[in-house]
Amino acid sequence: MRVLVVEDDPGVAETVRRMLVTEGWVVDVAHDGRTGLEKAVADSFDVVVLDIMMPGLNGYEVVRQLRRAGNWTPVLMLTAKDGEYDQADAFDFGADDYLTKPFSFVVLTARLRALVRRAAPARPAVLTAGSLTVDPAAHVARRDDTQLTLTPREFGVLEYLMRRKGEVVTKAEILRAVWDVNYHGDENVVEVYISYLRRRIDTPFGCRAIETIRGVGYRLAADGG
């Protein structure tokens, strides 16, 4: 899942980014309201974490402009402002949830998962490809009745391939969807994780779900191999 964190305090932004990345999220960060608005409009995110008091545009104005533009990406306000009128204003402008600082990371991630589930009814709760299943909300993958042990990054790659099953996807597309935006290394790291995944989801079961399309990228078989 992809999240945009709009937070002017570099320390808080980096803490939230690091915590979400460890959970397998792909995180982009903006440090002022105007940049956050531009990123939210120009790109596709599953959810936005938005501070209120920021330079450029405050959080209220960011969410108001998003909604006026017809952008209904779920927005969670993460702020030190804890007054009831502050919260009411946030909801009136179009926010979907509100969490005050200091906050529990467990609560933050749970609320973000809940927002994503509620906002995407068109997405199947469980992704399937033959005997292969992925439950993004529960963070569980199975081959038949066997639960697969995957790292957060492996799970992210598999989830992306499952959402694009039957389609050829490039290394660049996988990197953009699954790796942190601060990653600037060799895109061949994707090959390494594809190899890891094959050892987890294919080899033990005598399957060949992930196909290499030479010179282009990879394709996960619609029937799960």
Side-chain angles (χ1 to χ4, degrees):
M1 290 184 284
R2 301 191 72 223
V3 57
L4 172 63
V5 176
V6 187
E7 166 63 61
D8 69 324
D9 184 321
V12 174
E14 179 61 13
T15 297
V16 173
R17 187 194 70 80
R18 286 179 178 273
M19 290 189 296
L20 292 177
V21 167
T22 62
E23 293 293 307
W25 292 63
V26 178
V27 184
D28 199 352
V29 176
H31 294 294
D32 64 81
R34 193 168 300 280
T35 302
L37 177 62
E38 291 171 356
K39 285 177 176 286
V41 170
D43 212 337
S44 177
F45 296 95
D46 293 291
V47 66
V48 175
V49 178
L50 182 62
D51 191 11
I52 292 179
M53 302 304 294
M54 294 183 296
L57 295 177
N58 64 41
Y60 295 137
E61 185 63 16
V62 171
V63 73
R64 186 183 71 84
Q65 291 196 31
L66 279 176
R67 299 313 186 222
R68 287 184 62 183
N71 185 315
W72 298 102
T73 302
V75 172
L76 181 145
M77 293 294 203
L78 184 64
T79 176
K81 294 174 70 67
D82 59 0
E84 59 183 19
Y85 290 105
D86 298 316
Q87 297 186 42
D89 286 344
F91 289 122
D92 286 343
F93 279 120
D96 300 279
D97 202 354
Y98 195 103
L99 187 61
T100 58
K101 304 171 185 175
F103 59 91
S104 159
F105 179 64
V106 173
V107 173
L108 173 62
T109 54
R111 289 191 175 188
L112 293 179
R113 288 193 298 267
L115 286 177
V116 172
R117 286 196 302 270
R118 292 201 299 266
R123 289 187 178 184
V126 178
L127 307 170
T128 61
S131 63
L132 191 61
T133 62
V134 169
D135 185 338
H139 212 269
V140 172
R142 296 180 184 277
R143 172 72 85 173
D144 291 319
D145 294 327
T146 302
Q147 183 167 326
L148 305 172
T149 302
L150 304 174
T151 67
R153 188 79 73 198
E154 290 167 352
F155 189 93
V157 174
L158 179 58
E159 179 185 347
Y160 182 73
L161 292 174
M162 291 283 281
R163 293 195 185 280
R164 300 282 300 274
K165 66 181 180 182
E167 302 177 25
V168 178
V169 294
T170 66
K171 292 179 184 177
E173 288 175 315
I174 296 172
L175 271 177
R176 184 171 180 275
V178 181
W179 264 254
D180 185 84
V181 293
N182 293 313
Y183 177 80
H184 300 293
D186 193 328
E187 69 176 17
N188 286 330
V189 69
V190 175
E191 291 183 16
V192 175
Y193 276 86
I194 291 293
S195 177
Y196 291 162
L197 266 184
R198 284 175 169 147
R199 295 176 199 170
R200 301 275 198 270
I201 73 173
D202 282 346
T203 303
F205 306 94
C207 298
R208 298 187 65 181
I210 303 175
E211 178 184 4
T212 298
I213 310 300
R214 191 168 300 278
V216 183
Y218 304 94
R219 176 171 54 207
L220 188 137
D223 63 1

